[in-house]
Amino acid sequence: MASAEEPRVRLPQLKLDELLEELRARIDAARGIRDRVHSLLEAVLTVGRELDLEQALHSIVEAAAALVDAEYAALGVIGPDGSSLSAFLTVGVTEEQIAEIGPFPEGHGILGEVIRHPEPLRLEKISQHPASYGFPAHHPPMNTFLGVPIRVRDQVFGNLYLTEKRGGGQFDEEDESVLSTLAVAAGVAIDNARLYEESRLRERWLRANAEITYSLMSGSARAEVLKLIAERAREIMGSALAAVALPMEATESLAVEIAVGMDAQAHRGLVLPLSSTLMGLAFSAAAPVTSDDVCQDERISPEPPRFHGLGPAVAVPIGTGEGGVRGVVLVAREAGAPVFSGQETEKLQGFAAQAAIAMELAERRKDAEQIAVLQDRDRIARDLHDLAIQRLFATGMTLQSAGRFIEHPEAAERVLRAVDDLDETIKIIRSAIFGLRSREGAAGAGLRARIVRLVDGETPVLGFPPSVRMEGLVDTDVPYEIADHIVAVLSEALTNIARHARAERAQIVVTTDGREVSLTVSDNGVGIPPDGRRSGLRNMAERAEQLGGHLDVSSADGGGATLCWRVPLPGT
């Protein structure tokens, strides 16, 4: 009997063990799902906490690799063209491996497949897909693949790429679902980081505008304000170089007043034509002008060389066409840096427009102050004429009439001398009245404008436009008499280059530090022959000696000549 009952007892026991095993497996699966959901939630929270865009992107890549247990992970940011990658962040590849592999991918092959078709893509073996291009040398082996797009406000921002699931397994539907969920959270995090970055950037622009307005309205020198505009534009735009150019009076040229940053000395003081320069084109069009590579842009003259090592650039007008363009601000990044986006250009244009308004307000305030001064001068001149001169004239007439009744010769002579002194005093006061009522000289009479007009006139004879650079307070510090000599010397120098040098390039530099002024003219021609005529050079040297200065002339071994005419300024 016992032996017959044993099978009936064992059989339910076996079913119970199977049920327990199944229950344990389901509990383990539930725990796995719970742990994975917790990991996903933790990853979402971690990604969402980041407000810095770059840090947010790094957190997304790291979280993606951890969630699907992938050995390698990457996030590719799609560029403005929508078909290539502008940035590529990786996890699992060392810096040494990256250096050996070479440049980051641009979005071809499998990576480009996810760009062209922004849907999840799961592969058991990358090399078997028709779009696979293979891997470059020194690239780690990769077989399994999972790609998921990241959307920000219905636009594809980039893609997550995962390869090589640890343990040799394949990416499954659950991995795809988890990664797609992370991609949604990543899109929200990226959008928040962008908005935060944009608000911070807007705050920086507003602070810069307030700083410039305060500087202008507090009466700071123009050079200080222009330097402030250039520095803030360079800092906020992340540029290597920034320059500000203003139109020259009575000429069709721009003068680079301020340049800061990389090779700023090559730009400072340059006189630029309105054509064949980025700043000139922006000034003429009263609109922003961009260049992806300022060194290779056919619209921009390579002479004088000034953009070495620079790439993307943008020039925006200070002011608008309706209110009048007051100048141009240019910013340029190093070669290989990202080009300026439309949003960046728009922000810079807004900054320049606000700076123009501040400049106009400062000018209106200065004009009002000047009008007040002129009105006060007119009042003083009127009072001198109507009161002082009339009284002096009446006193003189009285003394002259009284002199006829004075019998003492010496006394009569003294009265006549007093009358003559009164007449002389009246002449002095009238001269003072004339000075009070006189206005500034004609526009375009400054040394800068005279030099530019002379160079423009000589350009057809030379066959090329010379490079012109002027530094210092050329119009203010250099007296009119010395300015005449400088113009004459420059005219003679350019004539000699046109007649004898056979040059293709020439550079003119005028500088002053308030103590002396120098004119340097150089060319790449044949140089000065030893037996050549020296009458022109002798005239230049005599002009310098008359003013207490000197002339230096030299020829380079490879050809060309350099003339340096230098004289001290009065009062130094």
Side-chain angles (χ1 to χ4, degrees), residues 50-109:
E50 293 292 347
L51 288 177
D52 181 80
L53 182 58
E54 188 173 350
Q55 289 298 324
L57 296 180
H58 279 289
S59 298
I60 292 167
V61 180
E62 292 170 353
L67 282 173
V68 299
D69 204 19
E71 187 173 352
Y72 305 106
L75 192 157
V77 179
I78 299 177
D81 60 359
S83 60
S84 62
L85 299 177
S86 62
F88 200 74
L89 295 84
T90 62
V91 167
V93 185
T94 65
E95 293 293 334
E96 292 76 12
Q97 288 177 310
I98 293 173
E100 289 180 348
I101 295 171
F104 282 117
E106 296 179 357
H108 304 297

Side-chain angles (χ1 to χ4, degrees), residues 15-31:
K15 290 183 177 179
L16 181 61
D17 289 342
E18 290 176 0
L19 289 172
L20 288 174
E21 282 296 328
E22 184 178 350
L23 180 60
R24 187 181 301 111
R26 292 192 178 187
I27 290 172
D28 290 341
R31 284 175 178 170

Side-chain angles (χ1 to χ4, degrees), residues 211-463:
E211 191 177 359
I212 289 166
T213 302
Y214 175 80
S215 181
L216 280 166
M217 300 308 290
S218 61
S220 298
R222 185 182 71 167
E224 294 179 8
V225 177
L226 295 180
K227 185 177 181 181
L228 189 61
I229 291 173
E231 287 177 343
R232 295 298 174 267
R234 182 173 71 94
E235 291 169 5
I236 300 175
M237 295 290 285
S239 305
L241 169 77
V244 177
L246 301 181
M248 295 188 63
E249 197 174 10
T251 65
E252 295 292 322
S253 306
L254 296 174
V256 180
E257 299 282 346
I258 294 293
V260 294
M262 183 175 173
D263 288 337
Q265 190 62 34
H267 298 261
R268 199 174 296 128
L270 279 178
V271 176
L272 305 173
L274 297 186
S275 60
S276 72
T277 63
L278 202 65
M279 300 179 94
L281 294 172
F283 183 86
S284 299
V289 178
T290 59
S291 174
D292 292 347
D293 188 349
V294 73
C295 289
Q296 305 297 327
D297 199 320
E298 296 180 353
R299 299 171 298 171
I300 303 169
S301 169
E303 295 294 336
R306 58 195 184 279
F307 291 116
H308 178 70
L310 296 173
V314 58
V316 301
I318 301 176
T320 60
E322 294 94 14
V325 180
R326 296 177 175 275
V328 179
V329 58
L330 173 140
V331 291
R333 290 173 176 157
E334 293 187 32
V339 299
F340 291 98
S341 66
Q343 188 178 18
E344 288 178 312
T345 302
E346 185 180 348
K347 290 285 193 300
L348 180 62
Q349 189 177 10
F351 169 70
Q354 290 295 324
I357 293 172
M359 291 170 71
E360 184 172 358
L361 289 173
E363 287 179 7
R364 293 293 177 268
R365 178 180 174 182
K366 187 177 180 181
D367 289 343
E369 292 174 352
Q370 184 67 20
I371 289 172
V373 170
L374 294 176
Q375 287 176 342
D376 201 36
R377 285 184 178 182
D378 285 340
R379 182 188 59 78
I380 294 171
R382 187 170 57 251
D383 289 347
L384 287 174
H385 181 272
D386 295 345
L387 300 176
I389 287 184
Q390 297 301 326
R391 290 198 176 193
L392 289 173
F393 185 77
T395 303
M397 292 292 292
T398 301
L399 288 175
Q400 194 172 15
S401 300
R404 288 183 243 149
F405 302 102
I406 299 175
E407 297 181 356
H408 196 284
E410 291 185 6
E413 185 179 351
R414 287 185 181 183
V415 170
L416 290 176
R417 279 204 304 270
V419 172
D420 291 339
D421 290 341
L422 287 173
D423 288 340
E424 194 63 32
T425 303
I426 290 172
K427 291 179 182 178
I428 292 172
I429 293 176
R430 281 178 173 165
S431 178
I433 292 172
F434 178 78
L436 286 170
R437 287 179 170 171
S438 64
R439 300 292 185 265
E440 294 181 0
L447 179 57
R448 286 175 179 266
R450 295 174 68 187
I451 288 175
V452 172
R453 284 198 296 271
L454 173 62
V455 172
D456 288 344
E458 293 290 340
T459 296
V461 181
L462 290 167

Side-chain angles (χ1 to χ4, degrees), residues 496 500 526-538 555:
N496 289 340
H500 311 296
V526 297
I528 301 175
D531 56 348
R533 294 181 60 185
R534 302 275 172 160
S535 57
L537 295 177
R538 187 164 54 251
S555 295

